[in-house]
Amino acid sequence: MAFIASMMRDPRAGAAAEELRDLAGRQGVAWAESAAVSYLAGAAFLRGDMARGRIDMSDVNILFNWGMLLIMKGSLDQGIVTLRQALEKVNRGRMPQFAARVESELAHALRRAGRPDEALPVYRSAIHQWAKLGRRPAVANQLECFAFMARAEGQLERAARLLGAAEVQRAEGGAAMAPWEREEYDRDLAALRET
């Protein structure tokens, strides 16, 4: 609830994060407690309370969430730097799914910042990780992002094939797109069809 509220910029994010921090602290779940701290910072940041939002960024989960918040606020370059720091700290052996998620979000940010040459190898690494983990919806999303970049470079047939491959992954994995994924997909697909 705290994560979703934070991502949706819902004012209830702070209360949910405080409850998460208390529960995680009582039960000794360190990763959830650090997530709660980062959501609390994020809630303050989104309210414009920069002083309260600036917290110790040594924890990889906090770094990741801070990077995501910077990106949401439009500070792509700062968000990219922060996500790179998170990626350097993540333990791929112990947290392969989290590592893949950090890579995916870093690649998305690089692509949206107009840096496809930097995004491409990060996407390639992420898609291999998602495939190893058997996460077909995530594989589909990476394929869609490859397609978006191909279309932007005028590789229309390649873009169409990649979108078709992503569609198969989604159908066989039984996963619909998230609303923010659907918005970009519909926009890019319309542009591809028009071209």
Side-chain angles (χ1 to χ4, degrees), residues 33-52:
E33 193 170 7
S34 72
V37 171
S38 66
Y39 299 151
L40 282 166
F45 184 64
L46 290 170
R47 285 194 314 270
D49 187 351
M50 297 297 286
R52 187 163 180 217

Side-chain angles (χ1 to χ4, degrees), residues 148 151 163 182 184-194:
F148 301 155
R151 186 199 63 80
L163 289 177
R182 170 62 65 188
E184 183 175 26
Y185 178 87
D186 287 346
R187 186 174 59 243
D188 227 74
L189 183 60
L192 180 61
R193 284 181 171 151
E194 184 180 339

Side-chain angles (χ1 to χ4, degrees), residues 95-127:
M95 303 191 314
Q97 184 164 318
F98 186 65
R101 182 159 178 236
V102 175
E103 281 186 324
S104 291
E105 295 299 343
L106 174 58
H108 294 333
L110 288 165
R111 177 173 57 84
R112 290 178 182 133
R115 294 156 64 178
D117 292 344
E118 292 176 66
L120 196 57
V122 183
Y123 274 128
R124 284 185 178 138
S125 178
I127 198 169

Side-chain angles (χ1 to χ4, degrees), residues 74-96:
S75 301
L76 271 176
D77 290 338
Q78 285 181 282
I80 287 166
V81 168
T82 306
L83 289 179
R84 283 194 194 281
Q85 292 171 344
L87 193 56
E88 287 171 12
K89 288 178 175 282
V90 72
N91 184 324
R92 292 174 183 271
R94 286 184 52 223
M95 303 191 314

Side-chain angles (χ1 to χ4, degrees), residues 38 41-42 45 50 53-55 57 61-71 79 82:
S38 66
F45 184 64
M50 297 297 286
R54 291 187 187 282
I55 55 174
M57 291 294 148
N61 194 51
I62 293 174
L63 275 169
F64 172 74
N65 286 296
W66 189 253
M68 293 299 294
L69 286 161
L70 286 166
I71 289 163
T82 306

